[in-house]
Amino acid sequence: MAIKDAKSEARELASAFDAKLDRVYSVNFADAPSIPTPYARQSMIESGRAHKQAYNVSDIVISSEVFVTYLIKQ
């Protein structure tokens, strides 16, 4: 759904410049910052929060940034 929405927005932006999109030229993924797991786990253990979050059943959200460059139809 995110890709479909992004493609629609790209077409709309190109249209504002009186242009039409051609094919995808490149796709790049942004580097995601990460916390080393041993440090996060050790911090939770030391603070006494490890047992409280052992059975956390809440939603997990995974996000990423993707940059797509399109060619313009001539």
Side-chain angles (χ1 to χ4, degrees), residues 11-48:
R11 282 191 295 272
E12 186 177 329
L13 182 60
S15 175
F17 288 100
D18 298 322
K20 291 189 178 187
L21 298 181
D22 199 358
R23 60 187 170 85
V24 171
Y25 176 74
S26 68
V27 177
N28 296 300
F29 296 89
D31 292 331
S34 63
I35 299 172
T37 305
Y39 296 120
R41 189 175 296 138
Q42 185 63 30
S43 171
M44 286 176 60
I45 291 169
E46 289 172 358
S47 69

Side-chain angles (χ1 to χ4, degrees), residues 2 10 13-14 29 31 49 51 59-60 64 67 73:
L13 182 60
F29 296 89
D31 292 331
R49 292 182 299 163
H51 71 281
D59 293 340
I60 297 173
S64 180
F67 301 94
K73 288 183 181 179

